[in-house]
Amino acid sequence: MKFNSHIANLPVYEAGKPIELVAREFGIKNKDIIKLASNENPLGSSKKVRKTLKKQAKNANLYPDDSYYELKDALANKFSVESKNIIIGSGSDQIIEFIIHAKASKDTAILQAGVTFAMYGIYAAAVGAKVYKTKSQSHNLEEMKEIYQANKDEINIIFLCLPNNPLGECLDANEVLEFIKSVDKDTLVVLDCAYMEFARFKDNAKFINPTNLIKTFKNVIYLGTFSKAYGLGGMRVGYGIANEKIISELHKLRPPFNITTPSLAAAICALKDDKFIKKTVQNNFSQMQIYEKFAKENNIKFIPSYANFITFFFEKQDSSKICDNLLKRGIILRNLKSYGLNAVRITIGKDKQNKMVLKELKKEI
Ligand SMILES: *Cc1c(COP(=O)(O)O)cnc(C)c1O
């Protein structure tokens, strides 16, 4: 059977290995497995959310309110925008897909950092669009400007990942705003802020405020998610905030009921529990220090991270070997070989988990 030629060489996205698979493969009990591979919240989710989810069991037969009125209203209040500036996706991943379908084609290109979230390139390639990357691995706005200026007739979407997954660095908000000013009005700038709750806590200079952003720029979309700080990865809820015109175009591509009834209830409830976010973010950065200390003591290179993970770059050891060996001992980390890096991304876990990871990692270096 023939398929579209532009998907022929497309890699399958390599998600973090599931606990169940490791349990089966290595005969380790589920509860003894430490999974720090997908940037999930190690504290779980808010207690209030879990209570809400239990109550939702009886609504499994019902489609959600497809207008997502209550969730959009809560987000609109949180960000001081209007509901018409918001779109809900099955994860912010799905909004990235809408964006690509709304603007990219075989005659256009996207621009992104050298090493960044893989889905931008995958969705772009799936519609035959070209992908321009900077030579710099982390975000380099000067280089982005050069590539953009030289290929302006093709590039109509620019992705900035703030903070950047999988490297961890984060541009300052004022650099980002200056950059957007230099971009044509018909080019959409996507600010993927999946980890913004973390970055903002570490350094307020990183904070992108969607309120001012969409007032100032008509060609920008801010993406947020409930999957990381809110601990709702399994619920699949993300959101986009932009000018009304952009949102109404993206809505044409949204399938009905694209999040579930329990997901909707969970997201609404999660927005009311700021304490849980605070606890999450505090645990993250206090625990991250253990990793930084370990890296310094063992001469492992890392980029200071503004997110809920840290990436270790290895010189002598092979990252695949390290990940394979740890996997056999029930520790799931994210190998970055598929990004062309000899590096391992580790989600910051709970104290006990982190100590275990470092104890086992020590044996490999
Ligand atoms: C996790 C992540 C997302 C989106 O995750 P969803 O679960 O689809 O909301 C988007 N961008 C980046 C950079 C991420 O790491």
Side-chain angles (χ1 to χ4, degrees):
M1 190 185 283
K2 271 193 184 157
F3 292 96
N4 285 338
S5 58
H6 46 259
I7 70 166
N9 296 319
L10 205 57
V12 174
Y13 183 82
E14 196 191 312
K17 277 211 169 57
I19 288 178
E20 292 76 9
L21 185 138
V22 177
R24 269 198 308 275
E25 212 166 294
F26 302 106
I28 304 168
K29 288 194 191 111
N30 281 25
K31 69 166 181 49
D32 294 331
I33 292 173
I34 296 175
K35 185 188 178 206
L36 294 174
S38 300
N39 303 337
E40 293 152 327
N41 192 325
L43 307 182
S45 56
S46 143
K47 263 194 198 132
K48 290 178 194 159
V49 168
R50 277 180 267 169
K51 236 180 169 174
T52 298
L53 280 172
K54 262 192 193 151
K55 277 199 223 149
Q56 282 297 320
K58 66 174 190 307
N59 292 331
N61 60 322
L62 301 176
Y63 283 122
D65 161 17
D66 187 57
S67 73
Y68 304 139
Y69 175 84
E70 205 182 335
L71 177 57
K72 281 192 202 165
D73 193 50
L75 285 166
N77 274 329
K78 179 178 165 74
F79 293 111
S80 304
V81 296
E82 292 182 56
S83 291
K84 64 183 183 205
N85 299 120
I86 299 173
I87 185 166
I88 304 298
S90 172
S92 54
D93 236 323
Q94 193 183 32
I95 302 172
I96 298 169
E97 191 181 7
F98 298 158
I99 291 166
I100 292 288
H101 285 159
K103 269 187 87 76
S105 72
K106 62 178 178 28
D107 304 317
T108 74
I110 69 158
L111 172 60
Q112 63 169 52
V115 175
T116 188
F117 193 47
M119 292 315 297
Y120 314 145
I122 293 176
Y123 285 130
V127 298
K130 195 167 168 183
V131 180
Y132 284 102
K133 295 178 184 186
T134 58
K135 283 204 187 74
S136 316
Q137 294 178 339
S138 50
H139 285 71
N140 177 333
L141 291 178
E142 284 312 308
E143 205 187 335
M144 277 200 166
K145 267 187 206 167
E146 277 168 30
I147 298 174
Y148 178 66
Q149 288 304 330
N151 303 281
K152 236 181 181 173
D153 44 343
E154 277 181 289
I155 297 169
N156 69 359
I157 311 174
I158 302 174
F159 285 95
L160 300 180
C161 193
L162 313 164
N164 187 19
N165 177 13
L167 297 182
E169 93 280 2
C170 191
L171 294 167
D172 280 357
N174 60 16
E175 304 178 84
V176 173
L177 300 184
E178 280 304 310
F179 174 77
I180 301 170
K181 280 186 202 158
S182 75
V183 170
D184 279 14
K185 300 225 171 357
D186 198 43
T187 301
L188 180 61
V189 183
V190 182
L191 306 184
D192 184 347
C193 297
Y195 304 93
M196 187 47 76
E197 293 85 358
F198 296 98
R200 182 185 180 181
F201 175 87
K202 181 168 173 178
D203 180 356
N204 203 47
K206 309 295 179 189
F207 175 49
I208 304 269
N209 183 347
T211 321
N212 305 338
L213 184 75
I214 67 164
K215 269 192 199 136
T216 317
F217 302 106
K218 305 264 178 289
N219 60 333
V220 178
I221 184 163
Y222 175 103
L223 302 182
T225 179
F226 286 89
S227 298
K228 309 288 160 56
Y230 287 92
L232 294 178
M235 289 287 109
R236 316 299 308 120
V237 188
Y239 53 91
I241 304 176
N243 174 264
E244 187 182 354
K245 175 79 183 121
I246 295 173
I247 296 298
S248 62
E249 288 300 311
L250 297 182
H251 263 126
K252 296 176 185 170
L253 300 164
R254 184 182 69 84
F257 314 122
N258 59 322
I259 66 169
T260 70
T261 303
S263 305
L264 178 61
I268 292 165
C269 181
L271 279 176
K272 293 175 189 152
D273 194 351
D274 285 338
K275 266 199 199 137
F276 178 74
I277 301 297
K278 199 169 171 203
K279 202 169 121 191
T280 293
V281 172
Q282 277 171 345
N283 170 71
N284 183 69
F285 288 110
S286 74
Q287 288 296 313
M288 197 179 291
Q289 291 174 7
I290 312 180
Y291 285 97
E292 291 178 346
K293 185 165 169 272
F294 177 89
K296 283 174 194 153
E297 282 167 7
N298 293 282
N299 288 318
I300 298 169
K301 279 205 191 117
F302 68 95
I303 301 172
S305 169
Y306 289 85
N308 65 347
F309 56 81
I310 189 162
T311 295
F312 282 177
F313 296 82
F314 294 95
E315 274 162 14
K316 292 187 222 100
Q317 303 83 3
D318 178 56
S319 66
S320 304
K321 220 177 223 165
I322 293 175
C323 288
D324 286 350
N325 287 344
L326 263 65
L327 199 61
K328 286 177 203 155
R329 293 174 233 146
I331 295 172
I332 317 173
L333 304 179
R334 183 69 155 91
N335 184 12
L336 297 183
K337 268 288 153 71
S338 63
Y339 288 82
L341 303 176
N342 187 33
V344 177
R345 189 191 70 194
I346 309 168
T347 304
I348 309 300
K350 286 198 267 204
D351 184 54
K352 230 172 125 182
Q353 297 176 313
N354 298 328
K355 284 187 177 134
M356 193 67 152
V357 167
L358 291 176
K359 187 177 148 212
E360 295 302 324
L361 203 54
K362 181 79 187 165
K363 296 177 190 165
E364 301 298 320
I365 56 172

